[in-house]
Amino acid sequence: MSPTVDVPALATLLDGRYAEVRQLVRKNLAQHGDILRDAEEMSRADFRQRVLDVVVMMARTGQTGMGFPEEYGGGGDIGASIAAFETLAYGDLSVLVKVGVQFGLFGGAILQLGTKPHHDAYLADLVSGKLLGCFAMTETGHGSNVQALGTTAVYDAATAEFVISTPDDLARKDYIGNAAMHASTAVVFAQLVVNGQSQGVHAFVVPIRDETGEPVPGVRIEDCGQKIGLNGVDNGRLWFDGVRVPREALLNRYAEVTADGAYTSEIENPDRRFFTMLGTLVQGRVCVGGAAINASKVALAVAVKYGLRRRQFGTPGSGDEELLLDYGMHRRRLFPLLARTYALHFAQERLAADLHEVFSHEDASERDRRALESRAAGTKALGTWHASRTIQECREACGGAGYLSVNRFDALRADTDVFTTFEGDNTILLQLVAKGLLTDYRDAFGDLDQFGMVRFVASVAVETVMERTSVHKILDRLRDVVPANDPDTDPDAGLLDTSAHLNLLRWREEHMLAGVARRLKKGMDAGGDPAAVFSACQDHVIGAAHAHVERLVLEAFVDKVGAMETGPNREAMHLLCDLYALSAIERDRAWFMEHGRLSNAKSKAVTAMVNELCRRVRPICGDLVDAFDVPPEMLRAEIIH
């Protein structure tokens, strides 16, 4: 038996604490519903202006400034700002990304890295949309390796100015949203040089255009040109040729340069200082993951609704055609993705709550901040990969009709594609997650990249990892509660046992983490080169991180279901939770079988149960996508109207 669904109640559950905020965004999206058509019909220049106009109009409603202090025209609620941004993903994604650049990256850098003089000078105009800016971090030659940026900011004590320079084309700022047309000001990340000594990467507020919109002297701007998607966002390149800015241009929350040229910081360790500064910008990563999950909801809403009305083939000789979703394989294509979308939604909800909690309290511990960064990195990676897979599968599930622009899949696919590398390449982000698992956030190990991992291998005894996780004890404990490869065990036993699902994912995580530690130790004990040792283990490192995050996602889903009132909606969520867990286990069943956690019979039973759960979801699938509450104007797909 399949449960029934109270759609309004489920929609309210999904909207959570910030239901009013999300409804405000939906209302604004509906008012600009024609922007989806404009994206297809306008020239690139005209559409960029159209996107800018929408962003400025939305700023006037207050929805884009909810995370800024009230004294500057904001809402003073970081959680509300995340909810508003996520919901924007139901609409045109160029609008979403331009909002993210203006208010999340540019505004967030000034808010989090600056001090009160910067806030007084910039935030009110920034929040209202009067001051447009960009976030100039990424460089052509350095990508995710922010510590190696080539742009320099040399302090000139004689004039109390910083001199911003681009030494070569590898150090040009690249892919910078808002830079090609609209930004008048940039937050520029550069190597700070004081008295001939580099103090590492710091951020500066740098004018790039004058009142007429022309580049200021010493600044060169170039358009990045046509992109795969998001062509309503004016990405550009920036070069700086000895551009002088006053000493006050340094965003000095974590470091200061005195007038006479003395560098001071309360954080003595330069690596820790750098990652503390970057850690304050984690909100962008949280937002991108949430937006990707919501874009998946749009694709699923279209594909499921199409599958409930499109007929094809049928029983030979009957003259009747079957609905697409009455075919087992069509359910198989869509319903595990639907379950995973719900799971990721609740994982994202928990992450956003953690972000709000950490950033709403100045005394948040270093451990809490590091845990937030790790969770944000992992959730963003899984959420954006999920969006790419889901949108493509939904497109295929709609056949040739899914290839028509009017049905939205081309824009969804093109515009979300960059999310897997936006705010950090997903593979590198999972290395950040693994770093946290392996080192317990030790200050001595701070880098996000593989070279930081190599330094860990070379300088930190791997025994400490084994000791921290008590991994052997954990494996022994879990071995008692996770059924092994026993041919006499009933293959159907425990298939719908939530605790068994959790224990199996925990066992995988701890086993993979222990395996990484052992491989690192073995390689170093054999006198291996640290870089070679790490490279040989990198797949294992990423696998452990992925297993960790997938376990966190399941825990968030289980906790959400457990907190619901008894009734049909809880039954529906329990059904989806089981489907998410078993489809995750099925997807990695080769690993579980290799490690003696699934017998052949049990593996087959998992697959059979996934099919059965998909069958049970079939009667309520329309209600489940209706609960996403995507505005009808954003579901302009003609195949469902």
Side-chain angles (χ1 to χ4, degrees):
M1 287 288 294
S2 298
T4 57
V5 175
D6 181 340
V7 174
L10 184 55
T12 298
L13 177 76
L14 291 172
D15 279 356
R17 173 182 175 183
Y18 295 106
E20 291 185 6
V21 170
R22 295 183 190 276
Q23 288 299 339
L24 171 63
V25 177
R26 288 185 177 101
K27 179 181 177 181
N28 287 333
L29 288 173
Q31 291 175 349
H32 301 288
D34 57 349
I35 196 170
L36 299 178
R37 184 188 66 247
D38 294 341
E40 298 166 9
E41 298 178 356
M42 284 184 170
S43 68
R44 187 175 68 192
D46 287 345
F47 187 57
R48 285 176 171 181
Q49 185 60 48
R50 174 79 168 99
V51 168
L52 175 63
D53 292 342
V54 171
V55 170
V56 172
M57 283 188 282
M58 286 184 170
R60 293 172 187 160
T61 72
Q63 77 169 64
T64 57
M66 291 179 179
F68 292 94
E70 293 180 9
E71 61 193 285
Y72 301 109
D77 191 326
I78 294 172
S81 71
I82 301 295
F85 187 83
E86 291 172 351
T87 311
L88 268 179
Y90 285 164
D92 178 79
L93 294 177
S94 285
V95 171
L96 173 130
V97 170
K98 200 167 184 74
V99 165
V101 168
Q102 167 70 13
F103 303 100
L105 296 178
F106 175 61
I110 291 176
L111 176 64
Q112 298 295 341
L113 299 180
T115 51
K116 193 173 188 304
H118 300 109
H119 300 168
D120 292 343
Y122 301 111
L123 287 187
D125 285 347
L126 187 158
V127 169
S128 69
K130 182 178 179 182
L131 172 66
L132 299 176
C134 61
F135 183 84
M137 176 184 281
T138 301
E139 294 180 358
T140 303
H142 301 286
S144 298
N145 190 11
V146 178
Q147 275 189 303
L149 294 180
T151 303
T152 59
V154 180
Y155 184 66
D156 182 352
T159 61
E161 293 175 316
F162 295 102
V163 183
I164 313 293
S165 301
T166 304
D168 52 51
D169 275 351
L170 290 178
R172 71 183 183 187
K173 299 297 181 181
D174 213 343
Y175 321 112
I176 310 302
N178 269 6
M181 292 181 64
H182 298 141
S184 63
T185 306
V187 170
V188 177
F189 289 79
Q191 300 285 351
L192 171 60
V193 180
V194 183
N195 295 322
Q197 182 177 356
S198 176
Q199 300 293 345
V201 173
H202 292 64
F204 304 82
V205 181
V206 182
I208 61 172
R209 284 187 172 87
D210 60 23
E211 295 79 2
T212 68
E214 292 300 313
V216 301
V219 174
R220 178 158 64 100
I221 303 174
E222 182 180 285
D223 197 314
C224 286
Q226 188 78 5
K227 307 186 294 290
I228 289 176
L230 298 174
N231 283 296
V233 182
D234 51 314
N235 292 84
R237 302 184 178 101
L238 300 172
W239 291 258
F240 302 94
D241 184 11
V243 176
R244 289 180 172 268
V245 294
R247 186 173 65 91
E248 294 75 19
L250 171 66
L251 294 176
N252 61 341
R253 179 177 178 183
Y254 295 104
E256 180 65 279
V257 176
T258 64
D260 60 356
Y263 179 83
T264 62
S265 175
E266 294 182 358
I267 305 175
E268 294 184 4
N269 184 302
D271 281 347
R272 184 163 175 259
R273 184 190 313 131
F274 171 73
F275 286 101
T276 298
M277 287 191 287
L278 280 196
T280 64
L281 306 177
V282 70
Q283 182 172 337
R285 195 164 286 161
V286 174
C287 285
V288 170
I293 295 164
N294 271 15
S296 301
K297 295 175 187 176
V298 178
L300 282 163
V302 174
V304 169
K305 288 175 180 292
Y306 180 66
L308 289 172
R309 58 187 294 138
R310 176 72 158 87
R311 293 182 179 274
Q312 189 162 290
F313 303 113
T315 303
S318 69
D320 295 326
E321 292 185 302
E322 295 287 336
L323 288 171
L324 292 182
L325 279 171
D326 287 337
Y327 289 101
M329 191 59 204
H330 206 78
R331 297 194 292 265
R332 259 283 188 166
R333 300 176 75 173
L334 297 179
F335 293 168
L337 296 174
L338 178 60
R340 193 173 182 86
T341 300
Y342 267 85
L344 286 165
H345 172 96
F346 294 126
Q348 173 71 13
E349 182 180 73
R350 175 171 291 184
L351 171 62
D354 289 348
L355 177 77
H356 180 82
E357 184 67 21
V358 168
F359 278 82
S360 295
H361 298 88
E362 291 290 335
D363 59 349
S365 70
E366 182 72 11
R367 178 179 291 272
D368 286 344
R369 290 182 179 273
R370 295 294 188 185
L372 172 64
E373 292 170 26
S374 177
R375 190 163 196 141
T379 305
K380 183 266 180 183
L382 264 62
T384 55
W385 272 329
H386 172 71
S388 293
R389 178 187 172 204
T390 298
I391 293 166
Q392 178 63 25
E393 191 65 54
C394 288
R395 202 293 296 162
E396 293 182 25
C398 292
Y403 204 63
L404 299 177
S405 294
V406 72
N407 294 318
R408 283 212 69 183
F409 290 113
D410 65 337
L412 284 171
R413 186 171 57 181
D415 290 347
T416 59
D417 188 56
V418 74
F419 287 7
T420 58
T421 50
F422 191 32
E423 286 289 325
D425 176 273
N426 284 350
T427 299
I428 293 176
L429 292 183
L430 287 183
Q431 289 183 189
L432 169 62
V433 175
K435 178 204 73 170
L437 294 171
L438 288 168
T439 68
D440 200 20
Y441 308 114
R442 292 176 183 271
D443 288 344
F445 174 64
D447 288 347
L448 286 77
D449 60 15
Q450 71 173 33
F451 299 104
M453 295 289 287
V454 170
R455 284 202 292 275
F456 161 70
V457 173
S459 64
V460 180
V462 175
E463 285 89 341
T464 62
V465 175
M466 307 290 282
E467 189 177 302
R468 180 185 76 80
T469 61
S470 300
V471 71
H472 296 304
K473 295 178 182 178
I474 290 172
L475 292 179
D476 287 342
R477 175 172 55 82
L478 290 179
R479 190 171 288 112
D480 293 335
V481 296
V482 179
N485 192 347
D486 183 355
D488 296 326
T489 300
D490 179 1
D492 292 327
L495 277 181
L496 298 182
D497 182 344
T498 298
S499 62
H501 300 159
L502 281 169
N503 284 330
L504 202 56
L505 294 196
R506 287 170 182 153
W507 194 91
R508 179 181 62 173
E509 175 189 348
E510 296 294 350
H511 192 286
M512 294 185 79
L513 180 59
V516 170
R518 287 194 297 270
R519 288 182 66 183
L520 293 175
K521 185 177 187 304
K522 181 179 179 181
M524 294 307 297
D525 286 349
D529 173 71
V533 170
F534 174 78
S535 181
C537 297
Q538 198 167 14
D539 61 327
H540 207 154
V541 168
I542 299 302
H546 191 282
H548 169 72
V549 181
E550 199 159 56
R551 188 261 300 172
L552 292 179
V553 171
L554 179 57
E555 284 186 343
F557 204 167
V558 169
D559 289 347
K560 192 69 177 183
V561 174
M564 294 176 67
E565 294 183 1
T566 301
N569 279 5
R570 180 174 178 175
E571 293 177 20
M573 290 300 96
H574 201 297
L575 173 60
L576 286 184
C577 189
D578 285 340
L579 179 54
Y580 164 69
L582 287 177
S583 58
I585 292 166
E586 181 189 42
R587 190 169 55 250
D588 206 15
R589 61 181 174 177
W591 188 93
F592 287 113
M593 293 175 74
E594 287 175 351
H595 293 81
R597 295 299 92 193
L598 287 182
S599 64
N600 290 341
K602 194 78 168 182
S603 175
K604 293 177 181 178
V606 167
T607 293
M609 184 55 72
V610 169
N611 287 334
E612 171 61 18
L613 294 175
C614 287
R615 187 190 65 79
R616 295 181 194 176
V617 168
R618 165 64 180 86
I620 60 172
C621 62
D623 292 337
L624 292 173
V625 297
D626 284 344
F628 294 151
D629 199 11
V630 181
E633 293 82 359
M634 299 298 102
L635 289 178
R636 66 185 285 258
E638 65 178 18
I639 56 174
I640 59 174
H641 294 298

